[in-house]
Amino acid sequence: MTVEQVRADVQAYLKANWDPNLGLVEWRLKLMDSGWGMPHWPEKWYGRGLPLGMTSIVDEEFAKVGAVGVAKMGIRVLAAATILEHGTDHHKEKFLRGILTGEETWCQLFSEPGSGSDLAGAATRADLKDGKWIINGQKVWTTSAHHAHYGLLLARTDWDAVKHKGLSYFILDMHQPGVDVHQLKQMNGHASFNQVFLTEAVIEPEYQVAELGEGWKVATTTLMNERRGADSARKYDSASERLERIYEEERAEIATVMAPYTWYPQRMGRVDMLIDRAKALGKFDDPATRQEIAKVLTLAKSAEWTARRARAASAAGKPQGPEGSIGKLAASIVARAANLAHTTIAGPDAMLTGDDDGTEGVVAEILVSTPAISIAGGTDEIQRNIISERILKMPKEMRTDTDRPFRDVPRNQV
Amino acid sequence: MQFSFSEEQEEFRSMLRRFLEAKSPPSAVRAQMVTDQGYDPDVWASLAGELGVTALHIPEEYGGAGFGVSELAIAAEEMGRALLCAPFFASTVMAATAIINAGSDDQKRTLLPDLASGDVIATLAAAEPGGGWAPDQIKMTATKAGDGYTLTGAKSYVLDGMNAGRIVIAANAPGGGIALFTAAADGQGVSRTALKSMDPTRKLARIDFDAAPVELLGDAAAGAEAYAKTMDVMLTCLANEMNGGAERLREDALEYVSMRMQFGRSIASFQTTKHKAADMLLDVELSKAAGYSAASALDDDDPDARAVASLAKAAASEAYFQTAVHAVQMHGGIGFTFDNDTHLWFKRAKQSEAFLGDANLHRERMMQHWGTEA
Ligand SMILES: Cc1cc2nc3c(=O)[nH]c(=O)nc-3n(C[C@H](O)[C@H](O)[C@H](O)COP(=O)(O)OP(=O)(O)OC[C@H]3O[C@@H](n4cnc5c(N)ncnc54)[C@H](O)[C@@H]3O)c2cc1C
Ligand SMILES: Cc1cc2nc3c(=O)[nH]c(=O)nc-3n(C[C@H](O)[C@H](O)[C@H](O)COP(=O)(O)OP(=O)(O)OC[C@H]3O[C@@H](n4cnc5c(N)ncnc54)[C@H](O)[C@@H]3O)c2cc1C
């Protein structure tokens, strides 16, 4: 398949099928049948088996005619990628449809009060009783849990094994009595993440993913997809202003489902706003401000091109170089630099928020949201460990937590 | 310059610290920051009464205690550390200093005793919407009206503007050049609007003047220098206040990482954590040295005091925010929550970065005055 062929095919498909007067779910189901919703997925499962790098061509053609895609925002993408790689056919049949139509929302039940960076230290327990998994423990920072239908759960099934071997991976039905979700307010005032208390929650054995004790391996797939999604080339859905039915439904979806996440673009630093803001506030000719903006743009553009190089390599079927792994760290550095540049440009307006800051609070939100990007999805320090130990093959830290049964490893008392 | 504090100064610091630990714990800060007024009048009364901080640098003949900028800066540092919600900065550091520097003997006799006792809260309105605190950014110009003057136009980012009973205003005299004026906050032609502040522990207002009658403080020709001297004191106190906050963040982050375990060991044992903690100490200590030196230079009438005041503000702007970024990061996910206290100081750091002019502006001001009189 050449780039030109793919472009011609998707153009032809859209010409024959795209209709903004369809219902949102109705159109997404059509897309799933055609494989154009997730073109890099296998043909058997709603895809066309194209290389990942070619999806940008498809995205471009969709954008040209204003066609809406399948649901791709949030944890659902991680769920889909994990189920595709490790799930059974039954999992794929049961879950992929609701993920892509947008009718079902997912969350990632990994982090716990006692284990964040040290995910493999998870201490939520799953015990087999009368043929069912019974779950007890607490998860935290769980984005979307308050409106999720399903959760990707990492839980300990063997306390005598070393920490990485005692974990298993499950799909948890969030709508059951044993699952208690409390929203957590963030420093920027939003509440997109939660505490999740699990008390005798039940999972049918068929919703275990992969073999017993393989939970860490499966979790790694989820995390790799999360990190990839965090790179600076990521785009966020914004509602189209058009009036046809499908746009109306998409706007409603964004307004409701996406409401807790309106700050996500701001946590990336909104580099796109810098020049216009500088012009609007009469700072564009100030040499110190220009230098600062130029530095941020240099970082942001280089990060974006790095992500593109990674995708181009994958489109050409070549193995990815190190550029695939540095995207998340680069995004974090860009966000921090953009925070400072926005402060310089805003001047005294940086002291204000809400409708007093001259941007309906968008700039104020940038200033108090960028710290998230250096923590969520693996902290900057963990990213540096991954880069140095996995890519650069530098010696690993001395470990004292992996050589003994997990029950004997010192842990936080929480 | 003096490079160590006297015993009395140390004593004053520990007394104030004990008071603030009792009266301004994070729970009190949280309780005050959600109110419109933003401070506890009882705490303010104790600060003014028992502790006398509102009188510190006001000369004795005007009801004050006659101390210097160094003592004022100690108070600011301790308040920044505790994130105290109170109109100290607006009333004592800004307005009283402006009156001390610009007012005639009569005016000081009339105005300062009430500020020294804390009975009247005052503030200084200088920056204009979208403008800044530098003299060339101040466009408002007074109009001569009979024996007096009137002001028309808007001032913004006015600290404790809604709480103030008296306003000192920096505006251009009719003949040009900055002069300082004053008016009652509820005076004719003065209207105030609360602004939404990014740091809820610090309340801001916009003040509109519509041919408002104002009183000129002292002599218009001496106004520019009086404003510049006032700015030096404000910058120095702000820098010290910021350093106090930065040090607190640094200590709290260190305490947190010492408690927290990941990978079967203390996260404080990871070298990257230790290096961060060491960098934070370096940043904060360097900035503290600059802040203390600025205060001492002002007390000594050092010819470089102006440059050093701007140097200290530029240093504190970077040190405080960088420390806040590290502090959130060292806490991990919990550092991004509203329930954790780190963000309270993070927001103060961010707001202070811009308040009275950012680091770029003060590096420029520093260079303009560097060694000019030496
Ligand atoms: C906005 C947001 C959304 C999130 N959404 C989710 C979600 O949907 N699901 C989910 O499961 N989790 C989620 N998280 C949690 C996130 O993955 C964790 O917060 C993160 O991995 C850090 O873990 P922690 O908070 O326990 O911090 P800790 O692991 O305790 O880290 C504290 C500090 O120690 C450092 N540190 C830890 N280990 C090392 C080491 N080996 N070497 C050097 N430094 C180290 C860290 O870098 C950090 O600076 C979210 C977090 C945020 C902020
Ligand atoms: C939110 C978040 C996002 C992350 N994103 C990524 C990501 O995108 N890509 C990525 O690679 N990692 C990712 N990580 C994982 C990260 O690399 C690890 O958390 C971190 O490096 C420490 O892991 P670890 O040392 O526990 O596991 P490692 O030691 O790195 O474990 C790697 C493998 O070694 C095996 N192993 C380790 N010790 C033993 C032992 N004693 N006996 C038997 N087997 C053992 C484990 O089974 C596992 O398969 C992420 C982590 C977090 C918290």
Side-chain angles (χ1 to χ4, degrees), chain B residues 127-152:
Chain B
E128 291 159 18
W133 290 264
D136 62 351
Q137 290 173 304
I138 296 174
K139 307 292 179 206
M140 183 186 277
T141 303
T143 309
K144 192 99 185 89
D147 281 348
Y149 298 86
T150 61
L151 289 177
T152 296

Side-chain angles (χ1 to χ4, degrees), chain B residues 268-287:
Chain B
S269 73
F270 294 115
Q271 198 168 51
T272 184
T273 312
K274 290 189 269 193
H275 285 184
K276 234 181 240 118
D279 284 345
M280 289 160 89
L281 181 72
L282 184 87
D283 284 345
V284 175
E285 288 301 316
L286 292 181
S287 188

